[in-house]
Amino acid sequence: MLFKFSQCQATPWKNGLGSTFQRYIWPLDADLDNFDVRISMARVQTNGPFSIFKGIDRHLSLLEGNGLRLTFTDNSATNKPSASRPAIDLSQTSRPYAFKGEWSINSELIGSLVLDFNVMVRRGKYQAVVTQCQLLTGHFPALQGDLMVLFLADAEYQDETSKHYSIAQYDLLAVSSDIIRQWSFNQMTPVIIIQLLNCAN
């Protein structure tokens, strides 16, 4: 199933300080308080704190912009920086950064606004493995779990039935590894792959 970026609508952040494009949520009728899986993108235009999501594991990637600095605070009323965790600078070349939704984090733009990509799963129900790679014909690995693939550039491919398709930048595809291994891409295609592993299995 293909989720087109062009069809996404912006929704408010949980903390009310910005907006986000929700790409996928499970269960389908869930909201910000009871989801098990949520995948989103956001344009960050100002410095400020992250929303707190208790019981949630998060993975953050940077898609556009110069960078984003994450500073961890001690969760006290003083809101002082935490000595136990040094600041993290994210760029477009950084690996997806995994952290807990309970952590108190402030973000600071490094330069202009950024576009980020966020994967959140409820701890104990799902585990997410998020990797960024170049998709090559015949070289897609055999992966476990349900797969979501975010295309970082426009792509042209031929599927397992020899039909030709086009995918636009930032379209999100739900697909099995067995199927996508049979596709032929016209050129090397940068993607972010999200493996969703059900902890009950």
Side-chain angles (χ1 to χ4, degrees), residues 124-135:
K125 288 195 173 183
Y126 283 90
Q127 179 183 359
V129 179
V130 183
T131 55
Q132 186 166 337
C133 65
Q134 300 284 345
L135 195 58

Side-chain angles (χ1 to χ4, degrees), residues 126-179:
Y126 283 90
Q127 179 183 359
V129 179
V130 183
T131 55
Q132 186 166 337
C133 65
Q134 300 284 345
L135 195 58
L136 297 171
T137 297
H139 289 269
F140 193 83
L143 301 174
Q144 295 180 338
D146 298 324
L147 299 187
M148 309 290 287
V149 181
L150 181 76
F151 284 78
L152 302 181
D154 294 348
E156 301 283 339
Y157 72 93
Q158 180 177 304
D159 71 6
E160 68 280 4
T161 67
S162 298
K163 287 188 66 175
H164 288 267
Y165 292 91
S166 297
I167 292 183
Q169 184 184 34
Y170 300 146
D171 283 353
L172 183 70
L173 180 68
V175 67
S176 72
S177 63
D178 290 339
I179 292 296

Side-chain angles (χ1 to χ4, degrees), residues 14 33 52-57 101-102 122-123:
K14 185 179 180 181
D33 295 318
I52 298 295
F53 287 92
K54 294 182 179 180
I56 299 298
D57 291 328
E102 295 89 350
R122 188 162 301 281
R123 195 174 305 128

Side-chain angles (χ1 to χ4, degrees), residues 109-126:
L109 294 168
I110 302 174
S112 60
L113 62 86
V114 303
L115 178 67
D116 68 27
F117 180 66
N118 184 33
V119 177
M120 297 191 288
V121 295
R122 188 162 301 281
R123 195 174 305 128
K125 288 195 173 183
Y126 283 90

Side-chain angles (χ1 to χ4, degrees), residues 9-30:
Q9 295 183 343
T11 57
W13 285 354
K14 185 179 180 181
N15 62 14
L17 298 178
S19 60
T20 189
F21 296 95
Q22 182 170 284
R23 308 306 313 279
Y24 177 80
I25 195 166
W26 182 261
L28 296 178
D29 61 350

